[in-house]
Amino acid sequence: MFVSYLILTLLCFQAAVLARPGGETIGCDDYLGSDKVADKCGVCGGDNSACKVVSGVFKHILTNLGYHKIIEIPEGATKINVTEMAKSNNYLALRSRSGRSIINGNWAIDRPGKYEGGGTMFTYKRPNEISSTAGESLLAEGPTNEALDVYMIHQQLNPGVHYEYIIPTANVIRPLLPPHRRPGDPFNGQLEVPDNTNPTDRGNSFVEQGIHTGHPSGSYPARQPGRLPSHHPDNQVPAVQPPRRNREYNWKQIGTTECTVTCGKGSQYPIFRCVNRNTHEEVSDNVCDSSTKPIPEEEPCNLFPCPAYWDIGEWSECSKTCGLGMQHRQVLCRQMYANRTLAVQPHNCQHLEKPETASTCQLKICSEWQIRTEWTPCSVPCGVGQKTRDVKCISNIGDIVDDEECNMKLRPTDIENCDMGSCAKSWFLTEWSDRCSVECGEGVRTRSVVCLTNHISSLPLEGCGNTKPSETMSCDNGPCQGKVEWFAGSWSQCSVECNSGTQQREVICIRKTMGSFTMVNPYECSFLEKPPRQQPCYLKPCGVKWFHTDWSTCSKTCEGGFRVREVRCLSDDLTPSDKCESQYKPEDTESCNPQDCIPEIDENCKDKYYNCNVVVQARLCVYAYYKTACCASCKRAANRQSGFLGRR
């Protein structure tokens, strides 16, 4: 069975090879083996009578710099070719009759590429190789749907511009098919040459004189996009091929695939199906010879430009690394022409809502200062010290980051001074003032009393407490002589020689009688405003002064002990100073209780044994028996022990 199938396949392949000697082509009517070709006018099977070629050379000498119109391309023109004859510093430009610039308008030189204009797509070429001598060119397949004008931007001597295009002729009569041929019948797969036409003369009847120079030009060869027509050189008559056996089924193009894009130039491919050559009815592809099926070739489609659209660029970086900032993006109106995207005027996109070009942004919440702990206790128990707290820069995710990431101007303080008040342990006193506050009668003497800490004495001081030593002491300079009614005597001297003190004066109620004055009971002057008897006074700042505490308790009750006090030099604001004169510094240590220790004789406390000193040495006095039997020795030992502890 397999051998039979293989033999059948080989026979079919041999028959197919014999059936298409020299190879087969697809005619312009989309039939495989058809000999129809498009003429230069684009007519399938035409005879070049439907169009004419217009060509010439523009060689006018131009003098002024700028734009000069050189060619007019009419509506319906195809196969347009405008080319400089040599490289120059001039530029070709193209615009419509309505004034719309297509290429190199408004003194702006466009890049080489494809540009839509006049209903067709123009290819703008500008060779830039150093060794190249070719000039610029404008090429288009056409047809144009409006008249177009070609300009030269003149900058140097015109090297000449060759132009050529094809336009249809009026009253076109389509050639009739030969009577012996039907539509779709192949003609040996060769290009048909009319009997009354010499191939070497074809095209000459379609030449028009050059517009500006008068020189004739050759015809433009016909070309079908996506097709490579099978033909021979014009000076060679094709060889007659032996007739082919007619096949009942053949491949035929029935259409094309959908365009890959809806606008802006896409691509599509022809679709071939197996059909009956007589009825044109589609049959299964297995009926036709698969080896003869043409290979689909890409064809352009949907060449018209796409609608304009907003081209949205990427957002710029946020203007701030944290917190609320701004970001921007570029929004351009663009339109696609023949696979080339161009920026166009914004009004072309007015049918669409324009996207925002600026927006707020926030990459992260800015780091902020955070107080992590409460204030610590003051570093000193009294006086001026410092207290601290923990202040950190915290990111928006709660991490501790460098202080530089937070605003240093807003940083909370993490250290402060703290005043715990005076370090009070003892009352410090000055000496009593030498002067009484009044010259006669009862007055007062004063001294300064302040509560300060001490740092010298190891002896226990009483501390300031609530009992403040008196700052005044009464004094009496004798009786005063009588004066006048509510009589206010002169102010006494200030109670202190420096800093703040008080002044006193006598105020009495007197009665004037015949040139004399008699003091009366004060209540008789009670209806009068009584002058004040005392007022503050301030002579001058003391500068510095020695202050001292009270004496401590004597270290011993007998046989000579010592007591101490603390002496300090203080300024007017009661701060320590070293400006006091050392020769006037009060003593801070003195002897006390120098009297001998006299033991008390107790008749009921006597030693009953002569060797009680052994009892003391053996420390047996703690026992009641020995304490009674050696009472005097145990008592003396106890007194010595208490005296020793006191000296410590």
mmCIF file of all heavy atoms in Angstrom, residues 582-600:
data_model
loop_
_atom_site.group_PDB
_atom_site.id
_atom_site.type_symbol
_atom_site.label_atom_id
_atom_site.label_comp_id
_atom_site.label_asym_id
_atom_site.label_seq_id
_atom_site.Cartn_x
_atom_site.Cartn_y
_atom_site.Cartn_z
ATOM 1 N N SER A 582 41.982 87.713 102.634
ATOM 2 C CA SER A 582 42.224 86.530 103.460
ATOM 3 C C SER A 582 42.522 86.877 104.924
ATOM 4 O O SER A 582 42.223 86.099 105.833
ATOM 5 C CB SER A 582 43.370 85.706 102.859
ATOM 6 O OG SER A 582 44.549 86.499 102.791
ATOM 7 N N GLN A 583 43.096 88.082 105.184
ATOM 8 C CA GLN A 583 43.434 88.428 106.564
ATOM 9 C C GLN A 583 42.197 88.668 107.421
ATOM 10 O O GLN A 583 42.269 88.638 108.660
ATOM 11 C CB GLN A 583 44.356 89.657 106.622
ATOM 12 C CG GLN A 583 43.745 90.934 106.066
ATOM 13 C CD GLN A 583 44.069 91.125 104.590
ATOM 14 O OE1 GLN A 583 44.278 90.126 103.895
ATOM 15 N NE2 GLN A 583 44.137 92.359 104.157
ATOM 16 N N TYR A 584 41.069 88.910 106.781
ATOM 17 C CA TYR A 584 39.838 89.137 107.536
ATOM 18 C C TYR A 584 38.959 87.888 107.581
ATOM 19 O O TYR A 584 37.821 87.958 108.036
ATOM 20 C CB TYR A 584 39.037 90.291 106.928
ATOM 21 C CG TYR A 584 39.766 91.615 106.987
ATOM 22 C CD1 TYR A 584 40.163 92.264 105.816
ATOM 23 C CD2 TYR A 584 40.062 92.206 108.222
ATOM 24 C CE1 TYR A 584 40.838 93.475 105.875
ATOM 25 C CE2 TYR A 584 40.738 93.419 108.279
ATOM 26 C CZ TYR A 584 41.128 94.043 107.114
ATOM 27 O OH TYR A 584 41.801 95.236 107.175
ATOM 28 N N LYS A 585 39.452 86.774 107.117
ATOM 29 C CA LYS A 585 38.655 85.556 107.094
ATOM 30 C C LYS A 585 38.440 85.062 108.526
ATOM 31 O O LYS A 585 39.388 84.860 109.277
ATOM 32 C CB LYS A 585 39.358 84.475 106.266
ATOM 33 C CG LYS A 585 38.578 83.169 106.208
ATOM 34 C CD LYS A 585 39.317 82.127 105.367
ATOM 35 C CE LYS A 585 38.550 80.822 105.326
ATOM 36 N NZ LYS A 585 39.239 79.785 104.537
ATOM 37 N N PRO A 586 37.188 84.836 108.916
ATOM 38 C CA PRO A 586 36.924 84.323 110.255
ATOM 39 C C PRO A 586 37.507 82.921 110.399
ATOM 40 O O PRO A 586 37.645 82.177 109.427
ATOM 41 C CB PRO A 586 35.397 84.307 110.346
ATOM 42 C CG PRO A 586 34.940 85.246 109.278
ATOM 43 C CD PRO A 586 35.954 85.164 108.203
ATOM 44 N N GLU A 587 37.831 82.557 111.656
ATOM 45 C CA GLU A 587 38.370 81.240 111.920
ATOM 46 C C GLU A 587 37.293 80.188 111.667
ATOM 47 O O GLU A 587 36.112 80.409 111.946
ATOM 48 C CB GLU A 587 38.851 81.137 113.371
ATOM 49 C CG GLU A 587 40.025 82.037 113.708
ATOM 50 C CD GLU A 587 41.280 81.626 112.955
ATOM 51 O OE1 GLU A 587 41.384 80.423 112.615
ATOM 52 O OE2 GLU A 587 42.143 82.481 112.691
ATOM 53 N N ASP A 588 37.695 79.054 111.136
ATOM 54 C CA ASP A 588 36.744 77.981 110.893
ATOM 55 C C ASP A 588 36.956 76.804 111.846
ATOM 56 O O ASP A 588 36.222 75.823 111.787
ATOM 57 C CB ASP A 588 36.825 77.501 109.438
ATOM 58 C CG ASP A 588 38.211 77.027 109.061
ATOM 59 O OD1 ASP A 588 39.105 77.045 109.934
ATOM 60 O OD2 ASP A 588 38.423 76.642 107.880
ATOM 61 N N THR A 589 37.955 76.879 112.735
ATOM 62 C CA THR A 589 38.196 75.828 113.726
ATOM 63 C C THR A 589 38.669 76.488 115.041
ATOM 64 O O THR A 589 39.460 77.443 115.003
ATOM 65 C CB THR A 589 39.284 74.857 113.239
ATOM 66 O OG1 THR A 589 38.916 74.328 111.973
ATOM 67 C CG2 THR A 589 39.452 73.703 114.221
ATOM 68 N N GLU A 590 38.189 75.966 116.195
ATOM 69 C CA GLU A 590 38.672 76.468 117.477
ATOM 70 C C GLU A 590 38.566 75.366 118.538
ATOM 71 O O GLU A 590 37.763 74.436 118.397
ATOM 72 C CB GLU A 590 37.903 77.701 117.926
ATOM 73 C CG GLU A 590 36.479 77.461 118.301
ATOM 74 C CD GLU A 590 35.802 78.729 118.818
ATOM 75 O OE1 GLU A 590 36.427 79.797 118.768
ATOM 76 O OE2 GLU A 590 34.636 78.622 119.249
ATOM 77 N N SER A 591 39.361 75.518 119.554
ATOM 78 C CA SER A 591 39.365 74.533 120.648
ATOM 79 C C SER A 591 38.166 74.765 121.563
ATOM 80 O O SER A 591 37.612 75.870 121.644
ATOM 81 C CB SER A 591 40.652 74.644 121.470
ATOM 82 O OG SER A 591 41.779 74.412 120.653
ATOM 83 N N CYS A 592 37.806 73.688 122.267
ATOM 84 C CA CYS A 592 36.659 73.789 123.157
ATOM 85 C C CYS A 592 36.783 72.743 124.276
ATOM 86 O O CYS A 592 37.500 71.741 124.118
ATOM 87 C CB CYS A 592 35.361 73.628 122.399
ATOM 88 S SG CYS A 592 35.255 72.077 121.462
ATOM 89 N N ASN A 593 36.097 73.028 125.410
ATOM 90 C CA ASN A 593 36.057 72.118 126.568
ATOM 91 C C ASN A 593 37.463 71.667 126.991
ATOM 92 O O ASN A 593 37.796 70.481 126.977
ATOM 93 C CB ASN A 593 35.190 70.889 126.263
ATOM 94 C CG ASN A 593 33.732 71.245 126.060
ATOM 95 O OD1 ASN A 593 33.286 72.297 126.530
ATOM 96 N ND2 ASN A 593 33.000 70.381 125.388
ATOM 97 N N PRO A 594 38.299 72.604 127.368
ATOM 98 C CA PRO A 594 39.662 72.212 127.765
ATOM 99 C C PRO A 594 39.740 71.642 129.194
ATOM 100 O O PRO A 594 40.780 71.121 129.583
ATOM 101 C CB PRO A 594 40.427 73.527 127.657
ATOM 102 C CG PRO A 594 39.398 74.571 127.926
ATOM 103 C CD PRO A 594 38.099 74.058 127.402
ATOM 104 N N GLN A 595 38.687 71.747 129.987
ATOM 105 C CA GLN A 595 38.749 71.312 131.380
ATOM 106 C C GLN A 595 38.983 69.813 131.468
ATOM 107 O O GLN A 595 38.640 69.066 130.577
ATOM 108 C CB GLN A 595 37.454 71.698 132.124
ATOM 109 C CG GLN A 595 36.233 70.901 131.721
ATOM 110 C CD GLN A 595 35.561 71.484 130.463
ATOM 111 O OE1 GLN A 595 36.123 72.392 129.827
ATOM 112 N NE2 GLN A 595 34.389 70.961 130.129
ATOM 113 N N ASP A 596 39.578 69.450 132.589
ATOM 114 C CA ASP A 596 39.859 68.032 132.816
ATOM 115 C C ASP A 596 38.582 67.266 133.059
ATOM 116 O O ASP A 596 37.574 67.814 133.540
ATOM 117 C CB ASP A 596 40.783 67.869 134.033
ATOM 118 C CG ASP A 596 42.163 68.461 133.781
ATOM 119 O OD1 ASP A 596 42.559 68.485 132.592
ATOM 120 O OD2 ASP A 596 42.798 68.892 134.753
ATOM 121 N N CYS A 597 38.675 66.039 132.707
ATOM 122 C CA CYS A 597 37.530 65.160 132.935
ATOM 123 C C CYS A 597 37.589 64.681 134.392
ATOM 124 O O CYS A 597 38.541 64.017 134.803
ATOM 125 C CB CYS A 597 37.566 63.953 131.994
ATOM 126 S SG CYS A 597 37.362 64.390 130.261
ATOM 127 N N ILE A 598 36.646 65.048 135.217
ATOM 128 C CA ILE A 598 36.612 64.674 136.638
ATOM 129 C C ILE A 598 35.630 63.520 136.771
ATOM 130 O O ILE A 598 34.425 63.686 136.519
ATOM 131 C CB ILE A 598 36.172 65.852 137.520
ATOM 132 C CG1 ILE A 598 37.148 67.022 137.334
ATOM 133 C CG2 ILE A 598 36.070 65.439 138.980
ATOM 134 C CD1 ILE A 598 36.739 68.295 138.074
ATOM 135 N N PRO A 599 36.146 62.381 137.182
ATOM 136 C CA PRO A 599 35.211 61.247 137.296
ATOM 137 C C PRO A 599 34.296 61.441 138.502
ATOM 138 O O PRO A 599 34.688 62.000 139.528
ATOM 139 C CB PRO A 599 36.139 60.044 137.485
ATOM 140 C CG PRO A 599 37.385 60.614 138.064
ATOM 141 C CD PRO A 599 37.539 62.006 137.503
ATOM 142 N N GLU A 600 33.140 61.037 138.339
ATOM 143 C CA GLU A 600 32.179 61.114 139.428
ATOM 144 C C GLU A 600 32.419 59.934 140.376
ATOM 145 O O GLU A 600 32.592 58.811 139.942
ATOM 146 C CB GLU A 600 30.750 61.063 138.866
ATOM 147 C CG GLU A 600 30.418 62.257 137.987
ATOM 148 C CD GLU A 600 28.987 62.173 137.475
ATOM 149 O OE1 GLU A 600 28.285 61.203 137.837
ATOM 150 O OE2 GLU A 600 28.580 63.066 136.710
#
